[in-house]
Amino acid sequence: MPTARSGTSAHRLPALLAALCDRLPDDSCAALERVLQGATGPDDARIGRFIAEQSAAGLAHQLMDITRAWRAEAPGLTGAGLALALATARSRPRTEPAQVVVSGPLSASVPARMTSGVAMEVIRSATTSLLIASFAAHGARDIVREIARAVDRGVYVDLLLEESTQAAEAFAALPSGVHVWHRVGAAGVLHAKLIAADRHTAFLGSANLTDRALSDNIELGVVLRDPRLVEDLIDHFRWLLTPENNIMRRA
């Protein structure tokens, strides 16, 4: 991309393109790319007509912001070049926002879903691996059944459980292929609560895998569906399970 003119920010145009991709579906972005391909610059009449045809609230203004930034920051950039930049921004993985999850009474303050349903949904979404951590576990038969179904479809399951709470007893009916882990030594307890499916989705929060925590207690959690965050989280727990680190041991 040509050097920006003195006194202007070289970062506004890429940010505007990224924001446009986050707003528009792929087919609309592709339509704009086709218009840009034949445009000679930000003042090309074809771009003006495309902007004038947009009826979605604020979209024309957003597109005009892009043409102004194009004119100010990269006046020598062709339409084909901007189309390529837009296609590059469109090709990056789109992340879903974090989702609030609660147990107990539901208010109208924030959009939220119940812990029990979300926990089941995350387990069902696993195709290769499940990593589940809980300080305590009791009952939670629906969760246990869902884990068993995951094992039946070939999902590799690691359960990280606090030994002092006898949490492993809640999962005694699971197949022997499920791997149960306990903390080594007495320096602290395993207090994390996590359900992670493959490397794409992680549900973490305050709720243990108990009947009361999944439904009646006042609990709070969040679902992450950004692989960049989830992968770092999974890598941390996989490091905890590495035998040479002597942090967790197989039960």
Side-chain angles (χ1 to χ4, degrees), residues 63-86:
L63 291 168
M64 289 178 67
D65 273 350
I66 289 173
T67 60
R68 283 192 287 266
W70 181 7
R71 189 180 301 114
E73 298 171 13
L77 182 67
T78 65
L82 192 65
L84 178 60
L86 184 61

Side-chain angles (χ1 to χ4, degrees), residues 85-200:
L86 184 61
T88 302
R90 182 161 62 95
S91 69
R92 82 194 196 285
R94 298 192 186 190
T95 60
E96 296 185 49
Q99 181 181 42
V100 176
V101 183
V102 301
S103 297
L106 276 173
S107 74
S109 300
V110 293
R113 295 184 58 198
M114 293 298 291
T115 299
S116 56
V118 171
M120 302 270 285
E121 180 182 284
V122 174
I123 294 170
R124 288 185 190 124
S125 73
T127 60
T128 59
S129 64
L130 272 171
L131 195 153
I132 298 174
S134 189
F135 172 74
H138 183 268
R141 291 180 179 83
D142 289 342
I143 296 292
V144 175
R145 279 193 292 267
E146 208 56 59
I147 295 172
R149 292 188 183 107
V151 174
D152 288 343
R153 63 177 183 268
V155 175
Y156 187 96
V157 180
D158 286 302
L159 295 177
L160 287 66
L161 303 170
E162 171 54 33
E163 190 171 18
S164 66
T165 64
Q166 291 81 50
E169 293 179 7
F171 305 98
L174 289 176
S176 58
V178 172
H179 310 286
V180 177
W181 300 82
H182 295 317
R183 177 78 188 266
V184 170
V189 299
L190 187 147
H191 204 252
K193 292 91 176 180
L194 167 71
I195 301 175
D198 303 337
R199 296 174 67 85
H200 56 69

Side-chain angles (χ1 to χ4, degrees), residues 14-83:
L16 289 171
L17 291 175
L20 183 68
C21 287
D22 286 340
R23 173 179 182 171
L24 293 181
D26 279 350
D27 57 347
S28 296
C29 281
L32 175 57
E33 289 164 23
R34 289 192 292 272
V35 172
L36 290 172
Q37 283 287 348
T40 56
D43 298 310
D44 192 291
R46 283 167 285 196
I47 297 175
R49 287 194 296 270
F50 182 86
I51 293 174
E53 292 168 357
Q54 304 310 307
S55 57
L59 180 55
H61 179 76
Q62 193 173 2
L63 291 168
M64 289 178 67
D65 273 350
I66 289 173
T67 60
R68 283 192 287 266
W70 181 7
R71 189 180 301 114
E73 298 171 13
L77 182 67
T78 65
L82 192 65

